[in-house]
């Protein structure tokens, strides 16, 4: 089944909110959220955006006008920039990351539900992600696309505008095809056909060898990189980030 063949029901609320001004999703509020300077880059938050006190912004993160970053959300530009447009809502405990190969770019009036995970992907305007949805590096979601609860948009998948990924399904390929839960073999075949492989792409580890060896090599590489990249992180004092 092609992603474009699945009915899209666009959340009406996404049309009723202006990108800024009185109709923005959340009013402006002074915040004391965690701001971290990473590799010399500091986050940038529009004066009319709201960031909850328990959210974390690290590195080259930018938040557009009228956007809301809710409690527990983590936006980490630890490999590449993270850009959130205007009028967006990033809900509780969502995790957004840029990667060295792919920055994370989110358009305007996008909603990412609780516990959503977005890494190195591009979301056009008015995209809706339900709770627990996952979008992996290199993926692109067209305008007004919708990803239901627990669904996955896999490495490099290109989802058409207004397409809908059903709950728990997996989107793979260009153009994206949708597979129901449990279809591991077709999903792997779709990734191979598109030239994407998880271990080499995500962690720089060769696919050759046993799974255990791959995991060991991946963890050794990843932990060393994390330590090296974060040793010089600096928490930015709240007084330098408060609004007037």
């Amino acid at each position: 089944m092609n992603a474009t063949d699945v009915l899209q029901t666009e959340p009406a609320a996404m049309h009723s909110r202006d990108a800024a001004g009185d109709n923005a999703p959340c009013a402006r509020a002074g915040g004391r959220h965690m701001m971290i300077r990473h590799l010399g880059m500091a986050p940038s938050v529009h004066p009319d955006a709201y960031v909850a006190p328990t959210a974390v912004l690290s590195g080259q993160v930018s938040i557009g006008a009228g956007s809301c970053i809710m409690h527990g959300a983590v936006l980490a530009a630890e490999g590449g920039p993270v850009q959130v447009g205007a009028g967006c809502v990033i809900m509780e405990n969502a995790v957004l990351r840029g990667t060295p190969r792919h920055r994370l770019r989110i358009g305007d009036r996008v909603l990412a539900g609780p516990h959503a995970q977005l890494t190195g992907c591009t979301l056009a305007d008015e995209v809706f992600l339900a709770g627990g949805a996952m979008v992996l590096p290199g993926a692109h979601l067209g305008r007004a696309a919708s990803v239901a609860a627990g669904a996955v948009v896999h490495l490099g998948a290109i989802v058409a505008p207004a397409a809908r990924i059903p709950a728990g399904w997996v989107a793979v390929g260009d153009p994206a095809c949708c597979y129901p839960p449990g279809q591991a073999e077709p999903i792997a075949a779709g990734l191979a056909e598109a030239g994407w492989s998880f271990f080499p792409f995500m962690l720089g580890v060769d696919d050759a060898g046993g799974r255990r060896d791959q995991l060991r090599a991946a963890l050794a590489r990843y932990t060393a990189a994390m330590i090296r990249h974060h040793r010089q992180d600096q928490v930015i004092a709240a007084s330098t980030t408060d609004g007037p």
Side-chain angles (χ1 to χ4, degrees):
M1 181 184 298
N2 193 288
T4 57
D5 296 330
V6 183
L7 178 63
Q8 153 72 19
T9 303
E10 189 175 349
M14 305 305 289
H15 287 298
S16 63
R17 293 167 172 164
D18 198 357
D22 294 338
N23 292 326
C26 294
R28 178 184 176 185
R32 293 182 179 274
H33 47 275
M34 179 69 73
M35 301 267 280
I36 298 173
R37 190 183 308 277
H38 175 69
L39 298 179
M41 304 297 292
S44 173
V45 179
H46 192 280
D48 292 328
Y50 170 78
V51 180
T54 55
V56 177
L57 309 182
S58 177
Q60 192 177 352
V61 175
S62 63
I63 309 297
S67 287
C68 298
I69 313 299
M70 301 310 295
H71 292 278
V74 177
L75 284 69
E78 297 174 349
V82 172
Q83 179 181 344
V84 176
C88 296
V89 179
I90 309 301
M91 296 190 70
E92 291 82 0
N93 300 310
V95 178
L96 283 64
R97 293 180 179 274
T99 75
R101 297 189 189 183
H102 295 95
R103 65 177 59 200
L104 176 61
R105 292 179 289 187
I106 295 179
D108 298 336
R109 300 176 299 282
V110 169
L111 188 146
H115 297 279
Q117 298 182 47
L118 290 77
T119 304
C121 54
T122 299
L123 277 58
D125 296 346
E126 299 174 1
V127 166
F128 175 85
L129 302 179
M134 183 182 298
V135 187
L136 297 182
H140 184 284
L141 276 69
R143 186 184 184 102
S146 179
V147 183
V152 176
V153 181
H154 224 303
L155 296 167
I158 308 299
V159 177
R164 182 177 184 272
I165 312 301
W169 285 44
V170 180
V172 178
D174 178 10
C177 294
C178 290
Y179 298 93
Q183 298 293 305
E185 291 183 5
I187 291 170
L191 287 171
E193 182 179 350
W196 296 85
S197 185
F198 185 83
F199 273 101
F201 184 83
M202 295 292 290
L203 298 172
V205 175
D206 198 310
D207 268 336
R211 184 80 171 178
R212 186 177 181 183
D213 290 339
Q214 290 175 346
L215 286 170
R216 285 180 171 176
L219 282 175
R221 179 187 294 268
Y222 192 57
T223 54
M226 293 286 281
I227 292 170
R228 182 174 65 253
H229 282 202
H230 287 281
R231 285 192 187 279
Q232 304 302 318
D233 282 1
Q234 298 176 325
V235 176
I236 300 172
S239 60
T240 67
T241 63
D242 290 342

